[in-house]
Amino acid sequence: MKTIDQLLAEGVAGKRVFVRADLNVPLDGTRITDDGRIRAVLPTVTKLAEAGARVVVASHLGRPKGAPDPAFSLAPAAARLGELLGADVAFATDTVGESAKAVVAGLADGHVAVIENLRFNPGETSKDDAERGAFADQLAGLADLYVGDGFGAVHRKHASVYDLPARLPHAAGYLIATEVAVLKKLTEDVERPYVVVLGGAKVSDKLGVIDHLLEKADRILIGGGMAYTFLKAQGHEVGISLLQEDQIPTVREYLERAKAKGVEFVLPLDVLVSPEFPDLKTKAPANPSVVAADAIPADQEGLDIGPETRKLYASKLADAATVFWNGPMGVFEHPDYAEGTRAVAQALVDSPAFSVVGGGDSAAAVRILGFDEKAFGHISTGGGASLEYLEGKTLPGLAALED
């Protein structure tokens, strides 16, 4: 895989460089609530601009249905990129149309532009190779070189991620190079004890990685909404908590496999419950109750791990040498249900382990809860991509960057 430093050594001055970034930031209207993914691509964009390239940054945002939708415009992300660069960033109001062509044609050496949300074009996400390829051909017309730096999208077989690199000389940006190097530390010659913390809403999102990590991890801690399927698999009442009944047989099998392999599988001892989901907009007091994890009332919903579980999980992380964490322990967006996630983050800060926060909501939680990102070994920009890499899958966007 060619690196961006090799590309820079060959010379990029005056050349149009298409940077496939991941600017898929959370928005409250037009306000960006977490700019971590924009900051993550700054080293690549800055280096290219300083070398005199004409930088064309492209990304997706959200899940528009193959047509323009103002709610998913990249305009706020383009404006924020300009603020972080301390320079004007031009913005094209389409992907490959007249605006994009004019904006790219008007770029001077060392200047940067952002084109509109790639998913406004149906060709970006099409499962039809010809349709996707046709869109990639149009994107290729905007550039001379390609740099892949959108790690959060490399598990997608999309036009700008998979097909476009085949049409242009290409290299991996600094972010992708860093992400891959970190993930190799979690899969090759791992320092032990190796502890994995998994949370988030759905157990089905994590089944593949659990299956794979049962062969690699020493200890797996479970929290978040997915914990209630595990508790149900053990025969416990989970009330109106999030539950995936169809996954219970698989979860039960994993618990049995973990026991047979000597992998310590740790589930909550207690949980915070409430008869209703909290209001995340007003953050009105929720007044949850603490109950034992095997005694959740039938009319209550589990929304965070309890105080005894927080202590337990902190103790299970204290002696770790390597930690991978993906998924919050509860509804961290509400202050009454943020302490479980905060406790895991604090345990990682306190631990001497090499800690990797696996993107998505976990990365957002670390920032929202006020932790210093430098206190962690690495905060990934790609939750789904990280998980699929750890599952042992071939990621299309990485395969496309191989020479």
Side-chain angles (χ1 to χ4, degrees):
M1 186 182 292
K2 179 182 279 189
T3 67
I4 187 172
D5 285 332
Q6 290 174 296
L7 196 71
L8 289 163
E10 294 169 2
V12 297
K15 294 183 178 179
R16 300 168 302 164
V17 182
F18 189 103
V19 177
R20 196 347 175 150
D22 179 9
L23 308 181
N24 186 28
V25 292
L27 294 171
D28 181 3
T30 59
R31 184 178 69 87
I32 296 170
T33 58
D34 179 8
D35 67 358
R37 284 177 170 159
I38 301 175
R39 286 186 285 112
V41 78
L42 283 178
T44 290
V45 173
T46 300
K47 200 77 170 181
L48 288 167
E50 288 175 349
R54 302 177 182 189
V55 187
V56 182
V57 180
S59 176
H60 68 288
L61 191 152
R63 296 178 182 272
K65 302 185 184 298
D69 183 338
F72 298 106
S73 174
L74 276 175
R80 181 58 179 152
L81 178 62
E83 291 173 359
L84 292 168
L85 289 172
D88 290 337
V89 169
F91 181 66
T93 56
D94 56 28
T95 56
V96 291
E98 293 307 312
S99 178
K101 291 174 183 174
V103 165
V104 173
L107 279 176
D109 293 1
H111 286 206
V112 179
V114 173
I115 62 174
E116 187 55 285
N117 192 336
L118 292 163
R119 290 185 182 175
F120 284 1
N121 190 304
E124 170 67 2
T125 59
S126 176
K127 288 182 168 46
D128 181 83
D129 291 348
E131 183 180 16
R132 213 174 53 246
F135 183 48
D137 287 339
Q138 290 179 293
L139 290 173
L142 299 175
D144 305 302
L145 304 169
Y146 176 95
V147 173
D149 214 30
F151 181 73
V154 293
H155 59 314
R156 305 295 187 192
K157 193 176 181 180
H158 291 170
S160 66
V161 176
Y162 178 75
D163 302 273
L164 184 55
R167 289 158 168 78
L168 295 169
H170 51 265
Y174 292 120
L175 175 61
I176 279 186
T178 298
E179 295 273 13
V180 171
V182 165
L183 287 169
K184 284 184 177 179
K185 288 188 177 183
L186 301 178
T187 53
E188 302 171 11
D189 299 321
V190 183
E191 287 193 44
R192 299 184 180 280
Y194 178 19
V195 183
V196 175
V197 186
L198 296 175
K202 294 182 178 180
V203 70
S204 56
D205 293 342
K206 308 289 195 305
L207 287 178
V209 76
I210 293 172
D211 183 44
H212 203 68
L213 288 172
L214 281 173
E215 306 296 326
K216 296 181 179 294
D218 298 301
R219 197 177 294 155
I220 299 176
L221 316 183
I222 301 292
M226 63 183 287
Y228 303 101
T229 301
F230 280 89
L231 292 170
K232 187 73 171 180
Q234 290 185 323
H236 303 311
E237 170 66 57
V238 297
I240 57 173
S241 304
L242 191 62
L243 176 66
Q244 290 186 279
E245 294 256 15
D246 60 323
Q247 303 299 337
I248 288 176
T250 302
V251 165
R252 193 173 286 136
E253 177 201 336
Y254 285 173
L255 290 170
E256 292 170 357
R257 276 177 57 197
K259 186 176 181 180
K261 289 181 173 293
V263 176
E264 188 179 2
F265 222 104
V266 190
L267 297 177
L269 298 175
D270 58 349
V271 297
L272 269 63
V273 298
S274 172
E276 58 187 10
F277 198 83
D279 188 325
L280 300 183
K281 286 191 176 180
T282 65
K283 305 287 198 297
N287 300 315
S289 304
V290 178
V291 300
D294 60 358
I296 298 174
D299 64 345
Q300 302 279 312
E301 179 178 10
L303 296 165
D304 194 14
I305 57 174
E308 291 305 313
T309 305
R310 292 173 217 153
K311 293 176 190 173
L312 174 65
Y313 285 13
S315 72
K316 296 295 183 181
L317 291 165
D319 68 342
T322 304
V323 179
F324 173 71
W325 172 30
N326 182 282
M329 297 292 99
V331 187
F332 73 92
E333 300 91 339
H334 191 285
D336 288 348
Y337 301 104
E339 292 310 305
T341 302
R342 187 189 306 279
V344 167
Q346 187 62 54
L348 296 188
V349 170
D350 295 340
S351 168
F354 174 70
S355 57
V356 178
V357 181
D361 286 341
S362 309
V366 163
R367 288 187 276 266
I368 289 170
L369 295 176
F371 286 91
D372 182 353
E373 295 181 42
K374 295 177 183 177
F376 302 88
H378 178 69
I379 297 181
S380 179
T381 56
S386 296
L387 289 174
E388 291 199 15
Y389 189 100
L390 293 181
E391 286 179 43
K393 291 183 177 180
T394 297
L395 306 187
L398 296 184
L401 293 175
E402 296 292 346
D403 293 330

